[in-house]
Amino acid sequence: MQHNVLILDFGSQYTQLIARRVRELNIFCEIFPFDKIPEDLSSYKAVILGGSPFSVRSKETLHPDLSQIRGKMPLLAVCYGAQYLAHFYGGEVAASNTREYGRANLSFIKENEVFLEGVSPSSQVWMSHSDSIKQLPTNGVKIASTKDVENAAYKIEGEITYALQFHPEVYHSTDGKKY
């Protein structure tokens, strides 16, 4: 049985790397622009929202139509994607005091969280953002933090939706393939 993943591209330098990491797991994936989502999603088993050079707080915010995705199929939101879900679904995103770029280590992992199973409690992750999620979206539950980033990962209760502020696809995220 083919396991297809749809990756929505918001212009991030990391989009192709996300696809490469997914393919290294022997999972077929396709990249589509965020505003050209295929009408028929029946061949996809999951969707990944990637990163973006844009801020969700700007006038240039890139708005995907998630009406056929959210709550209907597994969704992984990475960086911009995580901020998008927070900002437009009841949470709050604000400018970081400093640009958060480079290595960080998880300092908190929610106990018994299946999504983070096998991830080391101090796992190294790669941050690359200038906005931070200050308040989680409606039904959001924090599942991981670093010393400087309170909401490094969260899930949305009642959905198979997970969001990561960091980049699991980057080599420096030591447990990246486990997410």
Side-chain angles (χ1 to χ4, degrees):
M1 181 170 141
Q2 187 78 13
H3 295 288
N4 297 341
V5 172
L6 170 62
I7 300 171
L8 296 183
D9 182 15
F10 295 92
S12 169
Q13 62 182 341
Y14 294 123
T15 302
Q16 292 295 332
L17 188 53
I18 291 172
R20 188 168 114 200
R21 294 289 180 246
V22 169
R23 291 174 182 139
E24 286 173 357
L25 296 170
N26 293 317
I27 298 171
F28 178 80
C29 66
E30 294 181 300
I31 299 170
F32 278 81
F34 74 94
D35 58 351
K36 303 271 192 275
I37 299 171
E39 285 184 33
D40 181 7
L41 296 175
S42 63
S43 66
Y44 297 102
K45 304 297 181 217
V47 176
I48 298 173
L49 303 180
S52 175
F54 294 100
S55 168
V56 297
R57 300 176 305 104
S58 76
K59 286 183 282 192
E60 293 85 28
T61 298
L62 308 176
H63 289 284
D65 177 2
L66 301 179
S67 61
Q68 296 304 310
I69 298 169
R70 265 210 67 207
K72 296 181 173 125
M73 57 195 313
L75 176 63
L76 175 61
V78 177
C79 197
Y80 178 89
Q83 293 171 1
Y84 185 88
L85 291 180
H87 188 72
F88 290 102
Y89 292 94
E92 179 190 355
V93 175
S96 303
N97 293 336
T98 58
R99 179 164 167 74
E100 294 161 341
Y101 184 82
R103 293 173 181 88
N105 292 86
L106 297 180
S107 57
F108 162 79
I109 295 178
K110 185 176 185 291
E111 281 189 44
N112 302 315
E113 178 52 57
V114 174
F115 184 73
L116 299 175
E117 192 174 300
V119 175
S120 163
S122 61
S123 181
Q124 179 178 283
V125 296
W126 185 260
M127 297 287 186
S128 179
H129 57 271
S130 55
D131 288 339
S132 287
I133 299 165
K134 299 298 182 192
Q135 183 179 327
L136 294 176
T138 303
N139 299 322
V141 175
K142 177 178 69 174
I143 59 173
S145 302
T146 67
K147 181 174 70 69
D148 296 323
V149 180
E150 177 71 18
N151 296 307
Y154 65 89
K155 67 180 180 180
I156 297 181
E157 292 281 319
E159 300 179 18
I160 305 173
T161 298
Y162 293 91
L164 306 173
Q165 180 58 79
F166 54 89
H167 290 271
E169 72 278 10
V170 175
Y171 169 78
H172 303 294
S173 289
T174 51
D175 290 321
K177 287 185 179 181
K178 294 181 182 174
Y179 297 101

